[in-house]
């Protein structure tokens, strides 16, 4: 029996609190105009005090389960893609499993920063096609606000908190066409210093006195200009690669569902694909870069607009620190 992995539910969650560009301009030397022109970002949502990545993830997962018309008892694996886990361990997925009332099925995190959801979809698709799981929850969730240096104007304006989730279901290919068609993933660790988040003076694994200095603060550091250039080049390459690998062309793409980091990067990729603006999902303006949550949040937004139709071809792509980058092709089947 040949199996295919279908997306049968999708949900997004953004914390209540909205922080506008004007509010940030009152804190650091920036302006609404600079942020909009350079990034397309107008506002971001920030998690409330005590609200963790797992809370955001569970909220998005509940919506995805509801759309799929199933409950947590029907799920047989749960994966959270995050770079801002609740704790170093146990995994955020373990917390989400508990918050959703699930028991027994495997739950684990994956760390591919902003590309975590795209990596997770590729990983789970392979496992599901091998027959390991029937129904899976894949969630991208982040509280990026907790690892930002709020005095660094070059990074604090770019990120936000949020979560997006999908329910994946494995079906016999003979029961209908559609589902995940294929994925391409890449990494290049040579660029790891261009975008990183350190913890105190280092990280849990390389700070000898970590246990005596538990008050270390995490913060993102980025050489934005270089990241921008490599992101455009890498994403342009991988979207072409995934289409060619699956015998498809740019003109067949109905929706580009890109990583929502910067409107100028998204525009460069849509131009590369010759896609008109109305075929590109853009949500970065209202939630900024939510890292692993950004692609499922964009997908959830697209689904909510009611424009998504059965048989349409979706191209998902993302790029993150490492660098890591990848793309998935999905034939919508609902
Ligand atoms: C961060 C980014 C928006 C900066 O835009 P840019 O056009 O590359 O701007 P530069 O970094 O060249 O900086 C230009 C100037 O703006 C200043 N600047 C940086 N942040 C600013 C802010 N928030 N407000 C006002 N000025 C700012 C810089 O200090 C610099 O000033 P200088 O010329 O006096 O030195 C852009 O590089 C980017 O989006 N990079 C990719 C980031 C990303 O997507 N990361 C996540 C990948 S998953």
């Amino acid at each position: 029996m040949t199996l295919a992995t279908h997306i049968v539910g999708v949900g997004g969650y953004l914390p209540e609190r909205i922080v506008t560009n004007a509010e940030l301009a009152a804190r650091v030397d920036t302006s609404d105009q600079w942020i909009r022109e350079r990034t397309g970002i107008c506002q971001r949502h920030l998690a409330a005090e005590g609200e963790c990545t797992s809370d955001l993830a569970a909220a998005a997962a509940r919506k995805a389960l509801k759309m799929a018309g199933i409950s947590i008892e029907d799920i047989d694996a749960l994966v959270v893609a995050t770079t801002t886990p609740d704790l170093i361990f146990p995994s955020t997925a373990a917390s989400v499993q508990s918050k959703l009332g699930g028991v027994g099925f495997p739950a684990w995190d994956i760390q591919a920063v902003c590309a975590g959801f795209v990596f997770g979809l590729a990983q789970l698709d392979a496992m599901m096609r091998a027959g390991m799981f029937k129904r899976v929850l894949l969630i991208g969730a982040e509280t990026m606000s907790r690892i930002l240096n709020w005095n660094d104007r070059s990074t604090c304006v770019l990120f936000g908190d949020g979560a997006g989730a999908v329910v994946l279901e494995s079906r016999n290919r003979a029961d209908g066409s559609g589902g995940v068609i294929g994925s391409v993933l890449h990494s290049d660790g040579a660029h790891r210093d261009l975008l990183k988040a350190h913890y105190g003076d280092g990280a849990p694994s390389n700070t000898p006195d970590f246990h005596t200095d538990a008050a270390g603060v995490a913060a993102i550091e980025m050489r934005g200009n270089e990241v921008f250039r490599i992101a455009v080049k890498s994403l342009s390459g991988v979207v072409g690669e995934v289409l060619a690998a699956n015998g498809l062309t740019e003109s067949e793409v109905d929706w580009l569902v890109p990583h929502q980091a910067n409107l100028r990067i998204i525009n460069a990729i849509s131009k590369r694909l010759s896609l008109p603006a109305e075929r590109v999902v853009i949500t970065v303006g209202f939630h900024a870069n939510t890292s692993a949550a950004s692609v499922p949040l964009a997908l959830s937004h697209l689904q909510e607009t009611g424009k998504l139709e059965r048989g349409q071809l979706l191209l998902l792509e993302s790029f993150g620190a490492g660098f890591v980058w990848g793309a998935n092709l999905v034939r919508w089947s609902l």
Side-chain angles (χ1 to χ4, degrees):
M1 183 168 71
T2 317
L3 297 168
T5 308
H6 294 252
I7 297 176
V8 297
V10 53
Y13 173 79
L14 291 165
E16 215 174 291
R17 182 172 167 221
I18 292 173
V19 174
T20 62
N21 291 345
E23 282 177 75
L24 287 184
R27 191 188 166 101
V28 289
D29 183 13
T30 190
S31 66
D32 178 49
Q33 189 189 356
W34 191 96
I35 302 171
R36 279 177 198 256
E37 282 178 8
R38 301 291 176 113
T39 70
I41 295 166
C42 309
Q43 61 174 49
R44 70 284 300 138
H45 291 246
L46 298 195
E49 205 181 321
E51 197 175 25
C52 297
T53 295
S54 63
D55 295 313
L56 275 51
R62 284 188 193 99
K63 290 189 186 173
L65 286 169
K66 190 171 177 210
M67 180 179 158
I70 61 170
S71 67
I72 192 68
E73 287 79 31
D74 302 308
I75 289 295
D76 47 20
L78 186 159
V79 170
V80 176
T82 187
T83 196
T84 47
D86 288 11
L87 296 165
I88 293 170
F89 70 81
S91 70
T92 301
S95 299
V96 176
Q97 181 183 40
S98 158
K99 284 175 182 173
L100 295 176
V103 178
F105 56 78
W108 70 96
D109 286 2
I110 62 167
Q111 158 60 302
V113 205
C114 297
F117 182 85
V118 166
F119 271 55
L121 187 56
Q123 182 185 47
L124 286 168
D125 174 44
M127 296 174 95
M128 293 175 82
R129 277 190 287 107
M132 278 188 78
F133 308 116
K134 172 77 179 155
R135 287 196 195 90
V136 168
L137 257 172
L138 170 61
I139 309 165
E142 304 280 13
T143 44
M144 298 304 282
S145 62
R146 306 269 154 77
I147 60 165
L148 287 172
N149 174 353
W150 287 100
N151 295 316
D152 176 9
R153 69 175 183 175
S154 69
T155 52
C156 76
V157 302
L158 302 176
F159 295 90
D161 302 338
V166 293
V167 174
L168 302 174
E169 185 175 276
S170 152
R171 292 184 189 159
N172 188 343
R173 212 171 268 282
D175 292 344
S177 62
V180 180
I181 295 170
S183 302
V184 172
L185 306 177
H186 290 290
S187 296
D188 185 354
H191 300 296
R192 64 194 181 282
D193 283 334
L194 295 184
L195 174 55
K196 61 186 176 185
H198 58 84
Y199 192 96
D201 289 335
S205 73
N206 70 9
T207 306
D209 60 351
F210 177 67
H211 60 288
T212 59
D213 180 24
V217 176
I220 292 178
E221 281 175 15
M222 180 173 67
R223 304 216 306 254
N225 230 307
E226 290 163 78
V227 175
F228 186 96
R229 194 172 41 79
I230 300 173
V232 170
K233 189 165 174 265
S234 307
L235 287 170
S236 297
V238 80
V239 293
E241 203 180 341
V242 76
L243 285 166
N246 292 284
L248 292 159
T249 61
E250 283 87 345
S251 61
E252 290 171 273
V253 175
D254 292 295
W255 294 105
L256 176 66
V257 188
H259 176 40
Q260 307 287 324
N262 183 310
L263 184 57
R264 289 186 297 143
I265 298 179
I266 297 173
N267 286 342
I269 309 307
S270 351
K271 202 170 152 201
R272 152 81 179 78
L273 292 166
S274 308
L275 270 184
E278 59 273 19
R279 288 286 177 200
V280 184
V281 186
I282 295 171
T283 55
V284 65
F286 65 84
H287 60 59
N289 183 349
T290 57
S291 185
S294 104
V295 169
L297 271 171
L299 182 62
S300 159
H301 175 78
L302 174 61
Q303 192 275 328
E304 280 170 4
T305 62
K307 293 180 187 163
L308 202 45
E309 289 171 22
R310 186 185 171 87
Q312 286 185 332
L313 183 65
L314 279 60
L315 174 51
L316 283 50
E317 49 87 333
S318 196
F319 176 91
F323 290 125
V324 290
W325 66 102
N328 321 104
L329 279 172
V330 177
R331 180 79 63 194
W332 196 250
S333 52
L334 292 181

